Amino acid sequence: MDTTYDPALAGEGADDGQPLLYPRIDCRDVSVFYSGKQAVFDVSLPVFDRSVTALIGPSGCGKSTFLRCLNRMNDTIDGAKVTGEIFMDGENINSSHIDPVLLRSRVGMVFQKPNPFPKSIYDNIAYGPRIHGLVDDRQELDAIVEKSLRRAGLWEEVKDRLGQPGTSLSGGQQQRLCIARAIAVRPEVILMDEPCSSLDPIATARIEELIDELRKRYCIVIVTHSMQQAARVSQRTAFFHLGHLVEMGDTDQIFTSPRERRTEDYITGRFG
């Protein structure tokens, strides 16, 4: 199968929700070291557009470390070193000429705990478009704020209190606000690092519904400790163990007929 990314097949506005045969990101032999100690070992995997890829595995297996490679967040950690190649639109994002700040506007991140800025709901969303120069006037900014909040399923709940602090929202609402903030800068990829771990079941269900809706437009990679969540929201699943990618495939295949014994042992609860 030809896995070269074809931008003509992607793009905002696509809404059939079907995964494509082309990876948006192609990772080749990616390794990560912290102060010389290796944490991720030679991981190669494609990440497909308009679909959700779930990274699963026990705590400390390298899932989040690998996720942070996809927008060079590991660059911010002293002593961290990433080797290998990660291609996006045909360019290796680890190349010296790639601006990490611009990369992170294309590859958004939603963290484990909601982290709204100490600003109003409106300014949380408007911050990114302002600093990246995506708007020319207030009317255009208003439209981006409303569109982002609608896509995050939050507009109807906050439209009458946009001037209130983002921290005044509930935990689930704050996480949806952070997702709205991420998509306001028109990213192509959204990374989520255990986005539901601090949320109650009702808020978790809302976020999962949102992920399913967003994947019709975006390439999404999610780290989760919940195998049930991975099974519900993803089309492809990658199982990590001790820093190694053990197995990757269609989610149904991984959960019903894994090829590797370690994958089966983890899924059936024999370890983890």
Side-chain angles (χ1 to χ4, degrees), residues 214-225:
L214 291 175
R215 65 109 172 171
K216 297 174 184 177
R217 298 176 180 271
Y218 302 98
C219 170
I220 298 175
V221 186
I222 179 172
V223 167
T224 177
H225 272 113

Side-chain angles (χ1 to χ4, degrees), residues 188-207:
E188 299 154 43
V189 179
I190 302 174
L191 311 178
M192 298 184 173
D193 191 358
E194 295 189 62
C196 302
S197 64
S198 63
L199 304 181
D200 62 52
I202 294 175
T204 294
R206 293 292 301 275
I207 295 295

Side-chain angles (χ1 to χ4, degrees), residues 15-29:
D15 59 5
D16 58 13
Q18 296 302 312
L20 300 178
L21 294 177
Y22 297 88
R24 193 72 213 242
I25 298 175
D26 190 13
C27 306
R28 304 177 186 176
D29 298 319

Side-chain angles (χ1 to χ4, degrees), residues 83-160:
T83 63
E85 299 174 311
I86 301 174
F87 289 95
M88 183 173 175
D89 297 351
E91 283 192 299
N92 183 3
I93 67 170
N94 289 326
S95 297
S96 57
H97 70 276
I98 297 294
D99 183 343
V101 175
L102 293 179
L103 173 68
R104 290 172 200 140
S105 71
R106 299 174 63 199
V107 185
M109 186 84 160
V110 178
F111 295 94
Q112 183 172 356
K113 293 183 179 180
N115 60 340
F117 298 149
K119 299 174 179 288
S120 68
I121 295 169
Y122 182 98
D123 286 334
N124 262 272
I125 309 302
Y127 180 80
R130 281 173 175 151
I131 65 169
H132 288 290
L134 300 179
V135 292
D136 296 321
D137 54 46
R138 178 63 182 241
Q139 185 176 2
E140 191 175 359
L141 186 59
D142 289 347
I144 288 178
V145 170
E146 179 176 347
K147 186 176 183 180
S148 301
L149 288 169
R150 284 190 183 279
R151 284 190 176 165
L154 195 56
W155 174 254
E156 293 299 328
E157 297 169 46
V158 303
K159 63 182 180 181
D160 296 325

Side-chain angles (χ1 to χ4, degrees), residues 12 32 34 45 48 51 60 86 91 114 134 140 179 193 198-199 205 207 209 231 246 252 259:
E12 194 166 339
V32 183
Y34 291 129
L45 63 85
F48 288 82
S51 66
I86 301 174
E91 283 192 299
L134 300 179
E140 191 175 359
I179 293 172
D193 191 358
S198 63
L199 304 181
I207 295 295
E209 290 171 3
V246 175
D252 288 345
R259 293 182 293 270

